[in-house]
Amino acid sequence: VGLSRAAQLLGDESLQAAGDRFFRALLIPVSDGGALYPDGDGPALAQVPTRPRDLILNGWLSMLVSVHRYAQLRDSEPARELFAANLPTLRRLLPLYDVPQLRLSRYGLTGPLQLRLEMSMPGVCITDLRVALPGEGDVRLLLSDGGRWTPRIHPQDVARRSETRGRETVTIAGEVVHVTTVLTRAGYPEPNHLRMRIASRAGLRLRTSAHIGRYDPAASSTVEREWVQVLTTRVAPGSHAVEIELPYRPIELFAYPTHFTPGPDGGRVNAYHGTHIVRLRELADITGDPEFSAWAERWAGYVGEWPDRPELEGGTCWTPEGEL
């Protein structure tokens, strides 16, 4: 949009050509290096192309407003089509960003979660460990180092590793293995699952726990985390396929609500929540869709309740994207 406006102001076709190239990146699927999620429950635009889809709300909303502006500036039918194709996906997913118990909206629908798989005996072999993401397929968890956003099996818990026909097998050194997953809420109410094949010489008990905590308005992820048991599964002797359901409760804060950063005079400011409100109002004006307006005003109403909530008291809502 900025390049297109500059091109019109200066009469510079090279700037317009550059602006058009930026737009075309939004038509290229993420799998081919672009910024479009064409699959799942409908097309969506990527702010950070990942799997599962990032679905970062402030970025997605701002991209859609920009696509509409570009369509007007360039009288672009592909831009109008891209804008229209995203709207049904956005309508379906907007309720999943709502966190009424905290009076906040979510930043996105994905997030990392560390799990602990505790066996009742040592030396168990796990093959083809993966997380099944509703609507997006399986992501393998491989033995590797990495940060909190890297799906993986933690090496310190593994005695041996082997690979057969592209499938990794790890032998657990003791009775516990830690894994990092990146989960999604986009398929709600269908939960995420862990899938694997377990081989053991005797029957065993498999206890799955999640490292979860509470919301903190000053933090970008949960704090005061502890291990909370999610499920206990019995596995017979031999080799068996095992599937573990990861219910949204009590792990739902992996998709974290918008948080607060330091503001003037020692206050706290939530900018992302404000961007959600402003951009949804813009989309409501563009489309005439009362659903976008309803969500904007619902979330604006939450701000009025913040002074009555001890954890949010003193918080303000502001965004550089426009007036609230």
Side-chain angles (χ1 to χ4, degrees):
V1 171
L3 286 165
S4 297
R5 287 174 173 166
Q8 291 182 7
L9 178 65
L10 301 174
D12 188 335
E13 285 301 316
S14 68
L15 290 177
Q16 188 58 72
D20 293 341
R21 286 198 300 273
F22 273 106
F23 168 71
R24 287 196 293 272
L26 304 182
L27 302 177
I28 300 172
V30 165
S31 59
D32 295 330
L36 176 66
Y37 296 121
D39 302 317
D41 52 5
L45 292 172
Q47 180 171 334
V48 183
T50 54
R51 189 167 180 230
R53 298 169 297 166
D54 65 285
L55 300 173
I56 296 171
L57 188 56
N58 73 88
W60 189 12
L61 295 175
S62 296
M63 292 168 84
L64 286 175
V65 170
S66 290
V67 167
H68 174 74
R69 291 173 181 167
Y70 175 84
Q72 291 181 310
L73 286 166
R74 296 292 285 150
D75 190 23
S76 169
E77 188 60 28
R80 283 191 285 268
E81 291 175 356
L82 178 64
F83 177 79
N86 272 251
L87 296 182
T89 316
L90 179 62
R91 289 189 194 98
R92 283 195 296 273
L93 295 182
L94 271 175
L96 303 185
Y97 292 92
D98 190 34
V99 194
Q101 64 272 28
L102 293 175
R103 293 301 187 262
L104 292 166
S105 54
R106 294 182 197 274
Y107 175 74
L109 295 183
T110 65
L113 182 68
Q114 190 177 136
L115 300 173
R116 182 175 67 187
L117 307 180
E118 184 178 353
M119 323 287 177
S120 57
M121 59 182 293
V124 173
C125 293
I126 297 177
T127 299
D128 197 24
L129 180 60
R130 59 207 189 276
V131 58
L133 305 166
E136 300 197 43
D138 291 4
V139 172
R140 283 192 165 87
L141 305 180
L142 302 176
L143 186 69
S144 71
D145 293 311
R148 59 188 290 261
W149 284 88
T150 303
R152 61 196 175 94
I153 302 171
H154 294 206
Q156 65 268 23
D157 299 326
V158 173
R160 292 186 303 278
R161 173 198 178 276
S162 62
E163 186 174 331
T164 304
R165 288 179 283 189
R167 294 191 172 185
E168 180 181 76
T169 297
V170 295
T171 302
I172 309 307
E175 297 181 353
V176 174
V177 61
H178 294 84
V179 302
T180 294
T181 63
V182 178
L183 306 180
T184 180
R185 277 182 61 86
Y188 184 90
E190 183 183 347
N192 299 265
H193 290 82
L194 275 185
R195 291 174 176 167
M196 70 197 85
R197 179 165 286 276
I198 289 182
S200 64
R201 63 183 182 275
L204 61 87
R205 180 192 68 246
L206 169 60
R207 181 180 293 125
T208 302
S209 299
H211 203 214
I212 58 177
R214 64 172 179 84
Y215 173 77
D216 185 328
S220 59
S221 60
T222 55
V223 300
E224 298 178 0
R225 297 177 194 170
E226 59 184 4
W227 291 105
V228 175
Q229 186 173 328
V230 176
L231 186 69
T232 297
T233 307
R234 296 286 177 176
V235 183
S239 178
H240 301 277
V242 175
E243 182 162 323
I244 299 169
E245 180 178 304
L246 302 174
Y248 288 103
R249 290 188 180 180
I251 65 172
E252 64 177 355
L253 286 181
F254 72 79
Y256 205 63
T258 55
H259 69 286
F260 295 72
T261 54
D265 302 321
R268 299 182 298 178
V269 175
N270 189 323
Y272 291 126
H273 188 79
T275 298
H276 296 166
I277 294 167
V278 168
R279 293 303 192 202
L280 282 169
R281 285 173 176 165
E282 288 182 282
L283 288 176
D285 289 342
I286 291 166
T287 63
D289 190 331
E291 189 168 350
F292 295 142
S293 178
W295 280 110
E297 300 320 310
R298 177 184 176 94
W299 289 343
Y302 285 173
V303 177
E305 299 181 46
W306 290 356
D308 300 325
R309 303 184 67 85
E311 72 275 22
L312 303 181
E313 186 179 2
T316 59
C317 190
W318 173 88
T319 174
E321 309 301 337
E323 293 295 325
L324 292 174

